[in-house]
Amino acid sequence: MLRRFTEAGHDVTVVPTAAALHFVGAPTWAALSGKPVATEVWDGVHEVPHVRIGQSADLVVVAPATADLLAKAAHGLADDLLTNTLLTARCPVVFAPAMHTEMWEHAATQANVATLRSRGCLVIEPAEGRLTGADSGKGRLPDPGEIYDICLDALARGVGVHDLAGRQVVVSAGGTREYLDPVRFLGNRSSGLQGYALARAAASRGAEVTLVAANTALPDPAGVKVVRVETTEQLRTEVLAAAAAADAVVMAAAPADYRPTSVSEAKIKKADDGSAPSLALTQNPDILHELSTTRPRAGAVIVGFAAETGDATSSVLDLARAKLARKGCDLLVVNDVSGGGVFGSADNEAVILGADGSATDVPHGSKTALAHVIWDEVAARLHD
Ligand code: CTP
């Protein structure tokens, strides 16, 4: 994480606790940050670091945050440089807890987390998986890249926006695979990045998020329930199941429109006579259309994506308006993919069309920035 911040041009001061120095020594932190590091308030007192570091910070991130550190922060203790920094900081503060499951679930820790959140701090839900011992469970530090993305988001937007708190949302991401035989499939170029950015953004705004991910190779966003699928049929089953309780469903996935009519149980062999096999295809269900027409939960906002190229007779927006009407969704996020540039790219550019006739231009920017504009549009349409 320190490398990611410094390489992106951020000025980072590392404030290790005494316990942290058992894991990584002060010289390593100093070398990687290019600055001296201190643990106690008594080091370099002439520069009054116990006040200055917190006052001058644009963001404080504690990763990993132990149960002990969360308790100290919640109660305002200030017995070392980090806890002093937390008391003097007026910027967004992000905690990434990591501990054993029992410690995380303990009523004391949960009460401390609730206190910190009620004060506007962002406490990331720990990930599930292998812990330090032989055991597994909730309490792992999320992927450093995920924590870094959350920090960038907090720098850009602050951490106080919880307009999706109490809401359940479903996001689909990635491209489905339709198998021809045990080793071959029809697929597409969707990376899943936009769907993951949507899931992360919704979680940071307080939503309970289910991410139905088709064939992605991305780390799980922190605090998001990830359900993995491969085919359009599996995607449909999982999205419809989660949609029953959802306030919003965003179909950012690229489900294959067709699947092979039959899947060969054995690997298909090359013909000796040089002939090519013909492929019979069956149309897949249109999940977005089904969601929009059956409305699994009344009042939920349904959002689709449209990747359009335009043609000789119709512009991208003409085609998108027609698609919005055909699909019956509430919002359609339209990408012009003529150049093929959006696939796998960190950036995106779009127009968000509303069934109410609205059109919101989102200029070229990060997929995270677009995700937030989409949630702004969704939030404006949510009912009590
Ligand atoms: N979609 C879906 N189920 C499918 C195919 C697409 O739910 N079987 C959703 C996508 O997730 C996306 C939207 O529909 O939100 C638009 O997909 P697109 O493929 O652009 O629409 P199509 O109806 O397939 O239109 P086209 O004829 O332009 O391919």
Side-chain angles (χ1 to χ4, degrees), residues 129-143:
R130 270 300 296 274
L131 303 173
T132 319
D135 45 350
S136 297
K138 191 163 183 173
R140 261 179 80 84
L141 191 69
D143 182 84

Side-chain angles (χ1 to χ4, degrees), residues 4-384:
R4 281 175 206 253
F5 277 112
T6 53
E7 285 173 9
H10 296 281
D11 176 358
V12 185
T13 302
V14 182
V15 185
T17 59
L21 294 177
H22 286 295
F23 293 90
V24 182
T28 306
W29 296 124
L32 288 183
S33 66
K35 289 194 188 186
V37 301
T39 297
E40 302 301 334
V41 288
W42 309 112
D43 301 328
V45 181
H46 61 291
E47 290 182 328
V48 205
H50 77 287
V51 182
R52 186 185 46 81
I53 295 173
Q55 281 177 339
S56 62
D58 296 303
L59 177 80
V60 177
V61 50
V62 186
T66 60
D68 179 64
L69 188 283
L70 293 173
K72 284 181 173 154
H75 293 277
L77 298 190
D79 60 356
D80 65 5
L81 192 54
L82 177 58
T83 45
N84 275 268
T85 300
L86 287 167
L87 274 189
T88 49
R90 294 295 177 270
C91 57
V93 177
V94 176
F95 293 94
M99 62 196 73
H100 273 77
T101 312
E102 293 81 354
M103 297 173 88
W104 172 251
E105 289 175 348
H106 195 283
T109 304
Q110 288 301 309
N112 292 330
V113 168
T115 299
L116 292 168
R117 284 182 175 152
S118 73
R119 288 192 198 129
C121 299
L122 199 161
V123 184
I124 302 172
E125 284 293 309
E128 292 195 24
R130 270 300 296 274
L131 303 173
T132 319
D135 45 350
S136 297
K138 191 163 183 173
R140 261 179 80 84
L141 191 69
D143 182 84
E146 285 300 314
I147 303 173
Y148 175 69
D149 284 344
I150 288 171
C151 291
L152 289 193
D153 197 40
L155 275 170
R157 296 176 47 88
V159 291
V161 188
H162 285 128
D163 55 346
L164 297 177
R167 301 291 188 178
Q168 292 193 36
V169 306
V170 181
V171 179
S172 69
T176 62
R177 292 177 177 175
E178 303 298 343
Y179 282 90
L180 295 161
D181 68 16
V183 293
R184 302 184 181 94
F185 55 81
L186 300 175
N188 63 68
R189 290 174 60 190
S190 174
S191 64
L193 286 170
Q194 184 63 65
Y196 275 62
L198 278 155
R200 206 182 290 120
S204 80
R205 292 166 73 151
E208 195 180 305
V209 187
T210 302
L211 174 64
V212 185
N215 309 298
T216 53
L218 302 167
D220 289 356
V224 167
K225 180 182 171 196
V226 182
V227 180
R228 299 196 175 277
V229 298
E230 285 194 275
T231 66
T232 296
E233 192 50 59
Q234 291 165 356
L235 185 77
R236 174 180 173 273
T237 303
E238 296 299 340
V239 167
L240 290 182
D247 297 286
V249 184
V250 183
M251 285 295 299
D257 283 326
Y258 299 94
R259 65 177 183 276
T261 302
S262 62
V263 184
S264 171
E265 275 182 27
K267 190 179 162 202
I268 301 168
K269 292 287 180 201
K270 198 159 48 213
D272 291 334
D273 62 3
S275 66
S278 58
L279 198 56
L281 297 175
T282 301
Q283 193 158 4
N284 271 328
D286 186 323
I287 306 163
L288 179 61
H289 184 259
E290 186 173 350
L291 282 168
S292 305
T293 48
T294 63
R295 298 278 166 174
R297 179 165 174 197
V301 180
I302 312 287
V303 186
F305 271 72
E308 301 288 354
T309 55
D311 58 28
T313 52
S314 309
S315 73
V316 166
L317 278 188
D318 292 339
L319 293 170
R321 276 266 167 233
K323 186 172 285 182
L324 175 64
R326 204 165 61 239
K327 298 269 188 179
C329 50
D330 303 301
L331 293 165
L332 191 71
V333 185
V334 187
N335 292 132
D336 183 343
V337 289
S338 312
V342 316
F343 298 106
S345 154
D347 288 346
N348 211 341
E349 177 176 354
V351 180
I352 305 173
L353 299 180
D356 51 11
S358 67
T360 307
D361 264 308
V362 189
H364 186 90
S366 70
K367 288 185 172 176
T368 302
L370 173 58
H372 278 296
V373 184
I374 294 169
W375 289 122
D376 289 344
E377 294 290 320
V378 170
R381 287 166 173 79
L382 287 171
H383 302 288
D384 287 340

